Amino acid sequence: MEIVLAFIIGGLYAAGLYMLMRRSLVKLVIGLALLSQAANLLIFTLGRLIRGRPALIPSDMARLVEPFADPVPQALILTAIVIGFGVQAFAIILIKRAYQTVGTDDLDDMRSTDVMHGSSSAPPVNLPNDKWRSPVEATLRDEGA
Amino acid sequence: MAIIMAILSGFALTVVAPWLCRLARGATGWIIALQPVGLAFYFASQLHPIAAGGVIALSYPWVPGLGIALSFYVDGLSLLFALLISGIGALVVIYAGGYLGEHPQAGRFYALILMFMASMLGLVLAGNVITMFVFWELTSLSSFLLIGFDHQREAARAAALQALLVTGAGGLALLAGLLLLGQAGGSLELSTLLNEGRAIQSHPLYLSILLLILVGAFTKSAQVPFHFWLPGAMEAPTPVSAYLHSATMVKAGVYLLARLSPVLGGSEAWHYLVTGAGTATMLLGAAVALWQTDLKRILAYSTVSTLGALVLLLGMDTVLSVKAAMLFLLVHALYKGALFLIAGAVDHETGTREVTRLGRLARAMPVTAVAAGLAALSMAGLPPMLGFINKELLYEAKLQAPRASVLVTSAGVLANMFLVAVAGIVGFAPFFGRRADPPRMPHEAPLAMLVGPAVLAGLGLVCGLFPDAASIVVSAAAGAVRAEVTAVELKLWHGINPVLGLSLLTVAAGVGLYAARGFLRRAGSIGDAIGRWGPRRWYSLLLASLNGLARVQTRLLQSGYLRRYLMVIVLTTVALVGSTLLLRGGLTEPVPSLLDARFYEWTIAALILLATLMAVLSPSRLAAAAALSVIGYGVALLYMLFSAPDLAMTQFAVETLTVILFVLVVYRLPRFASLSSRRARLRDAAIALLAGGLMTALVLTAMTLPRDLHLATYFAENSLLLAKGRNVVNAILVDFRALDTLGEITVLAVAGIGIYALLRLRLEEPADSGSSQPEEEV
């Protein structure tokens, strides 16, 4: 089973990294989620697998007796799951707002804080209008153009 | 103790100067000058004991582990420099008071010049080569700040940077040389090193030490091919040019050569390198000075020539040449300091420094004119000035040179001819020459600007008539350089001999060149054309290519594309970890089949992998979100099957929340756009698969290795005992590692606040906020 999990972990890492390298913001968030699953599973597998022996001390005993599932990786993963959720939730709302404000989810168009469609090879996607820019900035750009 | 006070008082005054300037205004120069005047008297009082062969040495531990001490070593050579620094420093500070007037930045100027003075004193009084180096760099730094004093002009900034880069690069070489020297000589203390000359010269590193130290000395003292920064440094205010770039700082390289000549000097390499660079610099500087028309540039090039002559004399390394060098140091500081200050006064009064526009100023500026005349006489080496005695000594030393005396002498005579003409151009023509048209009709400079030139030029005359005072200082210095007691007897009249003949020839030729100066200026344009291909061009080429390299490098590494950064990180990790894995024999042992997979486990695994593929390939946002949740629930099932019920529960809860969140937001999100080209996608897929493969290999390798159960056993034994918890995982989270959990809760709270803030965020937009959201076209 460890061998099977090793391939699942590899697959999740590959998929996560591939999505992180995409230009679309939404795909980036999906990549982030995949990557955190992969990391959790990696830690879990390194703690070795065992069936039906959770780290619970039976009521008639004072301590765990072998064999038992390693509680240390589990404790780490528990924290990681919750934090991963926080990151994901924040990222989802962030890209929603960013898309609303900037009008594109192409990372290549977000490289600069000043000019929106700096050196992008793709044509501007769904550009709303000049609303989001301050008047000064708008003037500057118009003069530059 | 007094030595430390001498240096520290300068730095202390640096801090106070700006406030003092605000209080005392026009009188600041006079007040601040009290400090260098006091120092000059102190150093003069040490003259007799040190001339008799005494040395002041004191040492405080600084970094004892590295043999670095804050130690000072004062002998005749240090004393000559200290007298020049404090004496001329006092005159320059007084002069600056008149020159700057009510300049708003005058306080900064005084602070910087005092900082320089203290650093320069530290440099010549230091007894440990590292201490000396620290002060050496401080002088470069203060020179940079002073050249760029008028920092609103681009030319001043460029010149300051150029001077800093050239002397700073030399400083690095010097540091390397000094460290090697310390290694070869077994100590960083000058007092020890001075006795280790023989051992160091037979050391295999001798040539590297010599070359590195020479680069340091040559950059600082503007020797060919590093000379170009000095004329550029004339962007500085004139008092700075007079003080740093003529009388003191540029002589630091000469000081270093003189200081280390008992250690490094006398070898063939020393002789050829030092004499060669000195001769080239001497001739080049003198020749170029002839056709310049800016007073300060003329003086700058003639200073370059003098520095060359000094280096040449030290390269010859005979008793007579060292004597001549020490005397020349003194003489040059007197007349060149005076001429620079006069150039500043003329510029101040007439508004121009172009010699072609200056003439017959003597009537309007009589005191300045007399001082200029005296300084020019000394520069031309005419009796009864000290300059005459000096020139006789120079010729004598060169005639008696052990090697190539004919060559050295004729080069010296040629350079001196040029300098006679230059002396006429700067000291005679503007005051007594033909009438010209300065932009402003001049009158005499204020008192503060007369003291300096008058005292310096007057000293040249007095010392020429009564050379005994000068000979004490010079013989103390020469004795220190030669490490033997050297009597220097200076007189004006030597009788009729070959040296007098050479002097007459020099003056006659010099006067001829002076008369032909108009022609020389026209001919000079050819020289300028050649000069355009000189080291200044190499400097700008080097600087431009360095900037180009930085640009290319930045473009490669700082593309601003997230995926590029990721690629670099991923590929580096794969290469490093992968090669380690291969080299250390990972994956060679067969993976033990620890646990057979059951059929429903296979099903879950297949589901997860399929969902992963779908999340990557699906063109729909909703499908991708669904695939994500399949993965999440699958992983939760795995946790459940393999004895991690807490993980499973948490994962189920979180996954459900995430799905809800995604579904709520998904139609506000942009649709999946296929932005990358096919090639880019294939490349990314290859990189990602490589990284994934590496992770698989890592897990498989880890399975073959023994596991540390130390922590697991501890928690298994103590969970109930100490934490009163039967669920060990929970006990760890809320008890053993409770602080981590608090941190986790904090992260979650911060994320929550962040999300709330993002949702409430209203970017200034008009009332119709509803329409600001992009329309969905699904």
Side-chain angles (χ1 to χ4, degrees):
Chain A
M1 190 62 207
E2 281 90 347
I3 300 173
V4 179
L5 274 182
F7 282 95
I8 294 183
I9 292 166
L12 284 172
Y13 264 108
L17 286 172
Y18 176 78
M19 291 304 263
L20 280 184
M21 284 188 271
R22 307 276 44 81
R23 272 165 67 178
S24 153
L25 258 182
V26 188
K27 291 188 179 173
L28 192 123
V29 174
I30 289 174
L32 217 56
L34 289 170
L35 215 57
S36 75
Q37 296 286 13
N40 289 345
L41 219 47
L42 173 74
I43 300 173
F44 187 67
T45 313
L46 290 186
R48 299 298 192 274
L49 304 178
I50 186 165
R51 284 198 192 89
R53 301 291 303 202
L56 297 171
I57 303 175
S59 53
D60 54 343
M61 285 202 221
R63 49 157 298 168
L64 271 181
V65 277
E66 297 275 359
F68 58 87
D70 193 340
V72 181
Q74 292 193 19
L76 294 176
I77 296 168
L78 205 61
T79 311
I81 292 175
V82 177
I83 292 194
F85 171 67
V87 170
Q88 252 180 74
F90 184 79
I92 290 172
I93 302 299
L94 183 67
I95 58 163
K96 172 185 171 266
R97 283 302 299 198
Y99 177 58
Q100 240 175 35
T101 317
V102 184
T104 174
D105 82 320
D106 187 347
L107 277 171
D108 284 11
D109 291 338
M110 296 184 174
R111 286 202 302 149
S112 155
T113 48
D114 301 323
V115 184
M116 226 168 63
H117 295 285
S119 57
S120 161
S121 52
V125 195
N126 192 14
L127 177 66
N129 43 39
D130 280 346
K131 249 184 263 172
W132 62 278
R133 279 191 277 146
S134 73
V136 181
E137 236 179 321
T139 330
L140 279 176
R141 267 194 43 165
D142 296 340
E143 275 169 9
Chain B
M1 197 59 214
I3 298 293
I4 295 235
M5 284 301 296
I7 298 167
L8 283 185
S9 63
F11 284 120
L13 210 54
T14 301
V15 180
V16 187
W19 282 285
L20 189 68
C21 188
R22 212 169 295 163
L23 288 175
R25 294 178 159 276
T28 317
W30 295 97
I31 298 171
I32 287 181
L34 290 174
Q35 191 250 0
V37 167
L39 289 182
F41 276 109
Y42 165 72
F43 289 123
S45 74
Q46 302 298 314
L47 198 54
H48 274 283
I50 284 180
V55 164
I56 305 172
L58 66 164
S59 182
Y60 301 90
W62 186 5
V63 192
L66 297 175
I68 299 170
L70 198 62
S71 57
F72 297 93
Y73 180 86
V74 187
D75 60 3
L77 179 65
S78 316
L79 202 65
L80 169 61
F81 272 91
L83 276 170
L84 286 178
I85 294 161
S86 52
I88 298 182
L91 296 172
V92 163
V93 169
I94 293 173
Y95 179 91
Y99 184 83
L100 291 173
E102 299 275 307
H103 193 290
Q105 298 286 319
R108 187 160 60 90
F109 182 86
Y110 289 118
L112 290 174
I113 208 141
L114 284 166
M115 176 175 131
F116 166 75
M117 195 186 304
S119 318
M120 190 71 204
L121 275 176
L123 164 58
V124 298
L125 299 177
N128 182 294
V129 290
I130 299 299
T131 311
M132 183 174 79
F133 174 76
V134 170
F135 285 118
W136 175 285
E137 292 292 276
L138 273 175
T139 62
S140 290
L141 200 66
S142 36
S143 158
F144 165 73
L145 293 170
L146 281 165
I147 296 172
F149 178 70
D150 195 2
H151 56 80
Q152 280 163 345
R153 278 188 311 119
E154 199 196 342
R157 293 199 304 271
L161 183 66
Q162 178 177 294
L164 183 72
L165 287 179
V166 174
T167 54
L172 284 180
L174 175 65
L175 178 62
L178 290 176
L179 290 175
L180 288 181
L181 179 69
Q183 215 171 46
S187 168
L188 293 169
E189 289 293 313
L190 272 179
S191 48
T192 316
L193 284 173
L194 287 177
N195 297 321
E196 294 289 325
R198 193 156 298 164
I200 290 167
Q201 297 211 6
S202 57
H203 197 276
L205 283 174
Y206 169 71
L207 198 63
S208 335
I209 296 173
L210 181 66
L211 284 173
L212 287 167
I213 289 183
L214 285 185
V215 169
F218 286 177
T219 49
K220 195 85 163 180
S221 279
Q223 299 295 298
V224 170
F226 308 114
H227 63 281
F228 59 94
W229 71 265
L230 186 54
M234 293 300 123
E235 293 292 339
T238 305
V240 174
S241 309
Y243 191 36
L244 273 72
H245 304 125
S246 175
T248 55
M249 189 192 84
V250 289
K251 297 213 175 92
V254 175
Y255 168 80
L256 186 72
L257 292 181
R259 175 51 82 211
L260 294 179
S261 80
V263 186
L264 299 173
S267 67
E268 291 265 310
W270 166 280
H271 181 263
Y272 287 116
L273 287 170
V274 179
T275 315
T279 312
T281 311
M282 175 175 78
L283 287 173
L284 181 111
V288 177
L290 265 184
W291 73 69
Q292 302 298 314
T293 54
D294 179 342
L295 265 181
K296 281 181 78 178
R297 285 185 79 84
I298 302 174
L299 289 170
Y301 276 108
S302 74
T303 304
V304 169
S305 171
T306 305
L307 291 169
L310 286 168
V311 168
L312 162 63
L313 287 169
L314 289 171
M316 285 158 55
D317 207 24
T318 61
V319 178
L320 210 54
S321 78
V322 170
K323 277 187 209 170
M326 294 301 116
L327 181 61
F328 199 6
L329 249 165
L330 178 66
V331 172
H332 176 255
L334 293 180
Y335 76 69
K336 196 55 68 64
L339 285 174
F340 259 116
L341 296 181
I342 288 163
V346 167
D347 185 17
H348 195 261
E349 295 303 320
T350 65
T352 183
R353 297 197 307 249
E354 285 293 308
V355 283
T356 49
R357 301 187 66 183
L358 295 168
R360 217 177 274 181
L361 296 174
R363 194 166 299 162
M365 309 173 75
V367 183
T368 311
V370 170
L374 287 177
L377 281 182
S378 199
M379 182 173 174
L382 290 172
M385 307 299 295
L386 191 58
F388 173 70
I389 302 177
N390 174 50
K391 196 171 58 181
E392 303 280 289
L393 198 59
L394 281 182
Y395 284 165
E396 202 179 335
K398 283 173 186 164
L399 281 173
Q400 291 178 20
R403 277 174 274 207
S405 78
V406 178
L407 212 66
V408 171
T409 310
S410 25
V413 171
L414 194 62
N416 270 325
M417 287 173 187
F418 293 159
L419 289 185
V420 170
V422 170
I425 293 170
V426 293
F428 184 78
F431 298 97
F432 309 101
R434 260 174 312 197
R435 193 175 192 85
D437 59 332
R440 276 205 303 272
M441 273 329 283
H443 46 78
E444 188 56 280
L447 177 65
M449 293 174 71
L450 290 177
V451 176
V455 170
L456 291 174
L459 272 176
L461 176 64
V462 172
C463 291
L465 295 172
F466 310 100
D468 288 348
S471 77
I472 296 176
V473 185
V474 169
S475 51
V481 177
R482 295 297 302 174
E484 59 192 82
V485 176
T486 326
V488 179
E489 219 177 303
L490 304 176
K491 345 185 247 252
L492 266 176
W493 180 245
H494 280 261
I496 297 174
N497 53 17
V499 170
L500 189 67
L502 284 177
S503 275
L504 287 173
L505 175 69
T506 309
V507 173
V511 171
L513 284 169
Y514 173 72
R517 61 188 185 281
F519 169 74
L520 285 172
R521 269 174 213 145
R522 282 191 295 279
S525 56
I526 303 167
D528 284 334
I530 299 169
R532 244 167 252 136
W533 296 91
R536 201 195 319 261
R537 191 185 183 86
W538 311 341
Y539 165 84
S540 39
L541 276 178
L542 195 69
L543 211 60
S545 48
L546 195 68
N547 281 337
L549 188 70
R551 258 194 302 279
V552 168
Q553 194 262 142
T554 309
R555 208 176 309 136
L556 278 179
L557 297 179
Q558 305 282 321
S559 59
Y561 294 106
L562 180 66
R563 56 181 179 281
R564 295 263 169 85
Y565 300 149
L566 271 174
M567 267 177 226
V568 171
I569 294 170
V570 169
L571 285 176
T572 313
T573 313
V574 169
L576 290 178
V577 178
S579 59
T580 312
L581 204 62
L582 288 177
L583 291 175
R584 296 292 174 83
L587 276 182
T588 44
E589 284 177 51
V591 181
S593 188
L594 299 161
L595 211 58
D596 286 325
R598 296 179 183 163
F599 77 95
Y600 53 85
E601 290 163 2
W602 277 110
T603 319
I604 297 171
L607 246 135
I608 293 179
L609 280 176
L610 277 175
T612 310
L613 260 175
M614 186 171 157
V616 171
L617 298 177
S618 159
S620 139
R621 292 156 299 174
L622 200 59
L628 260 191
S629 62
V630 170
I631 296 169
Y633 287 124
V635 170
L637 281 174
L638 286 178
Y639 289 148
M640 202 173 73
L641 289 172
F642 294 101
S643 312
D646 301 284
L647 294 192
M649 283 191 288
T650 319
Q651 179 79 28
F652 276 127
V654 160
E655 214 45 55
T656 312
L657 275 175
T658 314
V659 171
I660 294 173
L661 184 68
F662 241 113
V663 171
L664 281 179
V665 180
V666 82
Y667 284 112
R668 299 254 182 249
L669 293 180
R671 283 194 296 164
F672 273 3
S674 198
L675 296 167
S676 319
S677 67
R678 197 183 151 74
R679 244 183 76 191
R681 266 177 282 167
L682 281 176
R683 178 198 58 200
D684 296 348
I687 294 172
L689 284 174
L690 220 59
L694 177 75
M695 295 315 290
T696 304
L698 275 181
V699 175
L700 291 178
T701 310
M703 288 304 132
T704 65
L705 300 173
R707 198 156 61 100
D708 182 10
L709 284 170
H710 176 246
L711 267 180
T713 319
Y714 172 84
F715 288 124
E717 277 169 12
N718 292 306
S719 159
L720 186 63
L721 206 65
L722 297 178
K724 311 291 176 223
R726 290 189 179 276
N727 183 333
V728 183
V729 176
N730 286 2
I732 294 175
L733 282 173
V734 300
D735 201 302
F736 293 106
R737 314 277 320 152
L739 212 59
D740 282 1
T741 309
L742 183 69
E744 170 201 336
I745 294 168
T746 315
V747 170
L748 218 56
V750 171
I753 294 170
I755 290 169
Y756 183 73
L758 276 176
L759 289 174
R760 301 281 299 176
L761 175 71
R762 285 272 169 271
L763 297 159
E764 333 117 33
E765 50 190 76
D768 57 338
S769 61
S771 70
S772 77
Q773 288 164 7
E775 300 299 322
E776 268 302 327
E777 293 152 28
V778 180

